[in-house]
Amino acid sequence: MKIFVMTIRCLAVLTALCLNNQVCLAGEQTKQENTTRKAKVHNLSPIAPKASEAFKRQNDDLKKLMLQLYQCNQKDLLKSTKVSAEELVQWVFEGPFGWKFEAIRRMQSVDALSLSFNEQYQGDRILPLITGLHTMLVSAYGGENEFKFTKTISPKHLYDAAHNIEMTRFKLINPSNDVHHFNANCTSEQINEIETTFTNIIKRTNQYVQSIDHAGSMRESIVSVDYSSADFIKMPY
């Protein structure tokens, strides 16, 4: 009887050891597989999200930026409408106009951006500024419009768009360049919020350049803008 009990105990111990060993082996194998997977991922270029998904985040920030600018530039708002800033933003982004507004002579992309800083222009400067940024980014992300993205994306077009957005930010925020008083009535907190929104848009654009530029041709070009000589880069639309 004692021999039988001892035999059962030995078998139980052996079984436990065997099971523990299998668990250990399985755990080690999983760890090795994870390490290998991470190494493979590390050597691959980042996977780019769909252009439509990437642009949606940009579009959300453009809406935020337009509202932020109108909140401390009521005179510009009144040049376009008598409704609230929120209502105008909705009208601009969701209206049936295809971003071709008669008030700014149907201008888009860099042409609209340039109009917003034109000393001779007396209209609402925020409308052409947002129109220019929006239509320029749609084109850079390979879109026919903000809902349909079918064109091949050029890393250079995205980089040029990031450059133009940075130039717009600089012209708006830098007091010495604020000849049109975009921020004359903005509090320091509002200016910081506007700058943060611009920074997010620029960063997101540069990240998308890197995610699709597998050859690395543009990575050395994503650098700070030389404000003393830089201007808007002309882009197709």
Side-chain angles (χ1 to χ4, degrees):
M1 183 67 179
K2 290 182 179 180
I3 294 174
F4 177 77
V5 172
M6 291 178 62
T7 301
I8 294 297
R9 288 178 177 173
C10 288
L11 287 173
V13 171
L14 288 172
T15 301
L17 288 172
C18 181
L19 288 173
N20 286 336
N21 190 45
Q22 288 176 345
V23 170
C24 291
L25 288 173
E28 185 63 30
Q29 183 178 1
T30 301
K31 185 186 295 184
Q32 290 176 353
E33 289 173 352
N34 288 337
T35 301
T36 302
R37 190 179 298 111
K38 288 179 181 178
K40 289 180 178 179
V41 170
H42 181 72
N43 291 325
L44 291 175
S45 299
I47 299 174
K50 291 181 180 179
S52 58
E53 296 173 356
F55 181 78
K56 184 181 183 303
R57 293 189 287 272
Q58 301 285 51
N59 198 51
D60 290 342
D61 266 348
L62 287 174
K63 289 181 181 178
K64 182 191 298 184
L65 178 63
M66 190 175 194
L67 185 59
Q68 289 170 334
L69 288 169
Y70 276 134
Q71 284 172 341
C72 55
N73 288 276
Q74 291 292 318
K75 290 182 179 179
D76 283 277
L77 177 64
L78 292 174
K79 289 178 182 179
S80 285
T81 183
K82 300 297 183 182
V83 303
S84 68
E86 290 82 0
E87 289 175 290
L88 180 57
V89 170
Q90 183 178 7
W91 178 83
V92 168
F93 278 83
E94 300 177 18
F97 310 100
W99 291 88
K100 294 179 180 178
F101 302 108
E102 296 299 336
I104 59 172
R105 304 193 290 276
R106 300 169 69 87
M107 288 184 178
Q108 296 186 332
S109 194
V110 174
D111 291 337
L113 282 178
S114 298
L115 179 66
S116 68
F117 292 100
N118 188 319
E119 293 182 13
Q120 306 304 316
Y121 178 62
Q122 298 299 315
D124 171 8
R125 295 182 183 276
I126 296 170
L127 178 60
L129 187 143
I130 297 297
T131 298
L133 292 175
H134 183 278
T135 53
M136 179 182 66
L137 278 171
V138 166
S139 177
Y141 276 88
E144 297 178 32
N145 54 51
E146 63 265 44
F147 308 108
K148 190 175 181 181
F149 294 82
T150 60
K151 301 174 184 177
T152 301
I153 304 175
S154 164
K156 184 178 186 307
H157 286 169
L158 277 168
Y159 167 70
D160 289 347
H163 168 99
N164 289 339
I165 299 167
E166 173 60 23
M167 284 305 304
T168 303
R169 184 205 67 79
F170 177 73
K171 288 175 180 290
L172 280 173
I173 301 301
N174 192 297
S176 64
N177 280 319
D178 188 29
V179 294
H180 307 301
H181 307 291
F182 274 103
N183 61 12
N185 298 310
C186 298
T187 65
S188 58
E189 182 179 355
Q190 286 173 319
I191 292 173
N192 288 337
E193 290 173 352
I194 291 168
E195 188 156 21
T196 296
T197 304
F198 265 108
T199 299
N200 290 339
I201 296 171
I202 295 165
K203 183 185 298 183
R204 199 178 292 121
T205 306
N206 281 335
Q207 287 173 343
Y208 203 78
V209 174
Q210 295 178 44
S211 71
I212 67 169
D213 184 26
H214 304 306
S217 59
M218 298 306 301
R219 288 175 192 170
E220 295 301 322
S221 300
I222 302 174
V223 294
S224 299
V225 175
D226 179 6
Y227 300 108
S228 62
S229 60
D231 204 346
F232 293 126
I233 298 173
K234 188 72 175 177
M235 295 181 63
Y237 65 90

